[in-house]
Amino acid sequence: GAGAGMGVGMGVGGAMGPGVGVGMGVGGVEPPGGQPAPPRFVCQRHPHGHDVFISGRREDGAVEARHLFTQLEAMGHQVFLDRNCLDAGDFNEQMKFYAETTPVFMPVLTPKYFNADRFNKDTDFCRIEFLVALSAKCSVQPVVQAGYKEWTADVPKLDHEGVRKALLSSNAVEVNWELPEASMERISKFVTVLLRRMAAAGFHGPSFPRPVVPAAIPIPIPIPRPAAAAAAAVGGVGVGAGAAVGAGVNAGGRPVPRRTTIINPGLPAVEVTRPAQSTVSYLGRTLEIVWHSVDVNRVDIKLLEPCSETQLQVCMEIATRVPSRDNQPNLYNWKVPAHLRTRDDYKIVVESLDDRSVRDLSFQFSLLPASAAPPEPRPQPTPAPAPAPA
């Protein structure tokens, strides 16, 4: 559907300017094969799922598991750790569900992990998680406790051939937590490679989600920003939202800067103001995402990339259920993951959690490698106060 909306932009000095916008929408479109069934469990911390499932013994692997969780999350991965992700209810069923729906299974190898009296019993949790992951054809990325050189000699203690083969054929990484940077970079690189490989085979995690139906996120008709009004198309029927996104021209004929307050015509609206046009950011750095909204309580923020000359697709869920306040700037500081591809045609979409048709796209922006980033300014020490005169 298509809709047109009229809006008014308030500029500097009280100047008013009309705005006209056109919105495109698609209603009643179902992806090939129908919509996927809703998941049996939803992690409150990672509602869009996990990239990595960490498994290990609490007796001698809890510290490694917590460090891995913290470091991988900081690198942009969505990580399952039982202490952080299990909810009330049947934790055994939750554990199985998350193990079989997470692309990368990461066992933390410690001496007690290979305790045959435990692992070789069908009721052992580490065994159950590993077998569920193997059954679901997850990729296995072992992490070895620092100093545990004998782990390969302990693998034959395990009675399951599939587990032994998966451990010995994987590129395990030993982590020294006194100097973790090099090890974590290697683990993150391996995880990213595995996630890409799994996504290509049809097993998608949140960092490499299943591509959306191309028509679901059309590239908007190019309207000059200085005189545009937001328009929404709902369920295939065009409805002009009419929230002013332009600024008009003042009495002297000069363009009025873009307004900083959405004027509410009675319908919800979202406008993304940052990243601005031609913004350049860098992998591993923080990118500011700013938007205004009307009658929108919470939003989802996603990263888009072109999938054809005319369509965009979601390539990453940045944040979900972010609070949004009316008629004032909303800010989300996004730590850009180091594993993303560098390109110059990314966009951000901010959409209402209650009505997915209420959304706005940013200008195109570029993500460049961390090596191209200028040095970050170092905080200047606060000068000590001068001593009081005697």
Side-chain angles (χ1 to χ4, degrees):
M6 296 296 295
V8 179
M10 177 69 75
V12 175
M16 305 288 287
V20 179
V22 177
M24 298 297 294
V26 178
V29 177
E30 182 175 302
Q35 296 288 349
R40 285 182 289 145
F41 301 101
V42 177
C43 174
Q44 298 303 309
R45 189 180 187 115
H46 307 101
H48 297 289
H50 306 91
D51 296 316
V52 180
F53 184 105
I54 297 177
S55 173
R57 300 279 185 210
R58 289 190 178 180
E59 297 94 316
D60 61 348
V63 173
E64 281 77 7
R66 285 198 299 271
H67 281 316
L68 282 169
F69 177 87
T70 303
Q71 296 284 336
L72 287 172
E73 287 266 316
M75 291 174 163
H77 301 291
Q78 311 297 304
V79 184
F80 174 90
L81 184 63
D82 54 2
R83 288 176 177 240
N84 297 2
C85 298
L86 289 180
D87 208 344
D90 190 330
F91 65 89
N92 194 18
E93 287 301 310
Q94 290 183 62
M95 198 89 75
K96 291 179 182 178
F97 171 77
Y98 292 128
E100 70 184 3
T101 56
T102 302
V104 176
F105 181 76
M106 184 172 288
V108 180
L109 305 185
T110 60
K112 291 190 177 180
Y113 189 89
F114 291 99
N115 184 335
D117 291 337
R118 296 178 62 180
F119 195 97
N120 293 343
K121 292 181 179 178
D122 292 336
T123 55
D124 179 65
F125 281 113
C126 288
R127 179 189 181 91
I128 292 171
E129 292 165 2
F130 211 131
L131 295 188
V132 168
L134 290 181
S135 177
K137 302 188 183 306
C138 305
S139 289
V140 178
Q141 177 54 63
V143 173
V144 183
Q145 188 179 56
Y148 182 32
K149 307 296 185 184
E150 304 81 10
W151 73 272
T152 52
D154 288 339
V155 170
K157 296 178 182 178
L158 309 183
D159 66 351
H160 195 282
E161 182 182 359
V163 172
R164 297 195 303 268
K165 182 178 179 181
L167 290 174
L168 293 175
S169 62
S170 301
N171 199 349
V173 180
E174 180 179 342
V175 181
N176 179 1
W177 293 115
E178 295 180 359
L179 297 169
E181 289 80 8
S183 300
M184 288 308 306
E185 285 291 339
R186 191 176 179 211
I187 291 173
S188 179
K189 179 181 178 181
F190 284 177
V191 166
T192 301
V193 169
L194 292 175
L195 289 173
R196 288 187 187 277
R197 190 178 301 162
M198 296 294 285
F203 196 150
H204 296 269
S207 291
F208 296 92
R210 190 179 306 279
V212 298
V213 180
I217 301 184
I219 294 179
I221 297 174
I223 303 172
R225 281 276 184 168
V234 183
V237 179
V239 179
V245 183
V249 178
N250 66 10
R254 292 172 300 172
V256 177
R258 293 181 72 188
R259 56 106 186 103
T260 56
T261 303
I262 291 178
I263 299 180
N264 183 6
L267 289 175
V270 171
E271 183 207 4
V272 181
T273 56
R274 291 189 214 166
Q277 194 165 17
S278 303
T279 292
V280 175
S281 190
Y282 303 91
L283 303 184
R285 293 288 181 89
T286 298
L287 175 67
E288 288 189 347
I289 301 172
V290 179
W291 70 96
H292 294 73
S293 65
V294 169
D295 292 339
V296 173
N297 295 321
R298 291 184 180 275
V299 298
D300 284 349
I301 305 173
K302 302 172 184 177
L303 181 66
L304 306 179
E305 63 181 5
C307 59
S308 72
E309 292 183 359
T310 59
Q311 303 297 329
L312 298 170
Q313 67 179 5
V314 177
C315 60
M316 181 180 180
E317 303 275 355
I318 294 175
T320 187
R321 305 185 63 83
V322 180
S324 187
R325 299 161 299 176
D326 281 2
N327 294 322
Q328 57 181 301
N330 296 276
L331 169 65
Y332 184 86
N333 287 312
W334 175 41
K335 179 67 176 295
V336 180
H339 64 76
L340 285 177
R341 287 177 291 179
T342 57
R343 55 190 304 162
D344 60 3
D345 52 4
Y346 282 118
K347 287 192 176 187
I348 298 291
V349 61
V350 177
E351 60 184 16
S352 168
L353 199 64
D354 299 320
D355 184 350
R356 298 296 181 181
S357 67
V358 179
R359 63 189 175 198
D360 190 33
L361 277 69
S362 73
F363 287 106
Q364 281 189 182
F365 66 96
S366 303
L367 289 180
L368 301 183
S371 58
E376 293 187 285
R378 296 184 178 180
Q380 298 297 321
T382 304

